[in-house]
Amino acid sequence: MKVESGPAPRVQAWLAVARCVGRSCVMLARRQVHLPKDNVGRVLRFADGSTSRVYRETAVERQAVEPCVLVVAFTLRWVRGRAHRLFEAESILNTPLFVGFPGYVSKLWCAHDTFGAYRGLYEWDGAERAHRYAAALWRVLELVSVPGSISYKVLPGLRRDEVVANPARMQGLPQSDHAWWRLLTQP
């Protein structure tokens, strides 16, 4: 997979993550973070030939004014076999690392795909905010990911739920890198 852009400088990234965790704690205390079940269990098919099951959805009480879809992919180091299920269960603890970032709207958590990569399929309010988040997230992911496996793609003007319901909305977008990020219609 090729990267749309790289990581943020370490100090900048970790300060952004720290601010996010603080905001996330307030949001969690106010019960502004929700775990909808509508997409859980859905199998997504991607243009690189992989499929992945949605195992969790996280949303906040915000509507995107400038919607964009963010797709993040990474391969975990040291996680094999049954450990994937353990990771899925414990990953709820990672929620404070993203829900407090400015512009966050929702995320579909996608289990390891047929090639071993995990994906997050987000809706964000503002493409620049999505880029800043993904660049900061990179620094968290590089601690636990196979080197070279982190990628992200920001798709401005799209809403996540519309793309999941109708992947053809992604047609006409650049198709580089085997379009690892592009959803396909289910057969």
Side-chain angles (χ1 to χ4, degrees):
M1 287 181 224
K2 188 173 177 175
V3 182
E4 178 161 298
S5 144
R10 281 186 174 83
V11 172
Q12 178 186 335
W14 287 108
L15 284 172
V17 169
R19 285 189 298 271
C20 169
V21 169
R23 283 190 295 270
S24 296
C25 289
V26 171
M27 294 170 72
L28 288 164
R30 292 181 179 166
R31 298 181 182 199
Q32 296 173 322
V33 179
H34 307 287
L35 299 173
K37 302 280 188 226
D38 299 346
N39 289 300
V40 175
R42 181 186 293 251
V43 175
L44 302 176
R45 212 169 59 119
F46 293 89
D48 66 354
S50 66
T51 59
S52 183
R53 172 186 51 81
V54 175
Y55 69 90
R56 183 177 299 124
E57 182 172 0
T58 307
V60 298
E61 298 170 353
R62 176 183 297 131
Q63 279 287 65
V65 176
E66 298 176 33
C68 72
V69 169
L70 167 65
V71 186
V72 175
F74 61 95
T75 303
L76 288 173
R77 244 185 311 219
W78 311 302
V79 177
R80 303 286 178 268
R82 292 183 186 162
H84 285 293
R85 291 289 186 181
L86 292 172
F87 171 76
E88 290 175 23
E90 87 64 42
S91 65
I92 190 79
L93 301 175
N94 299 331
T95 301
L97 299 176
F98 62 86
V99 297
F101 266 90
Y104 172 81
V105 176
S106 64
K107 174 184 180 180
L108 295 181
W109 305 61
C110 299
H112 66 289
D113 66 19
T114 47
F115 302 128
Y118 282 85
R119 283 190 182 87
L121 190 62
Y122 300 77
E123 181 166 331
W124 219 268
D125 187 9
E128 186 54 40
R129 289 174 168 173
H131 277 287
R132 282 195 299 269
Y133 161 73
L137 172 70
W138 190 296
R139 293 304 185 180
V140 175
L141 290 176
E142 74 183 351
L143 298 174
V144 296
S145 296
V146 172
S149 72
I150 304 167
S151 299
Y152 72 89
K153 182 75 173 169
V154 176
L155 307 166
L158 296 173
R159 292 192 184 277
R160 191 210 63 205
D161 287 344
E162 292 173 356
V163 166
V164 169
N166 181 10
R169 293 189 47 91
M170 290 180 147
Q171 299 301 329
L173 296 172
Q175 309 275 319
S176 61
D177 307 317
H178 305 290
W180 62 268
W181 48 267
R182 188 167 53 88
L183 285 170
L184 297 178
T185 305
Q186 295 298 332

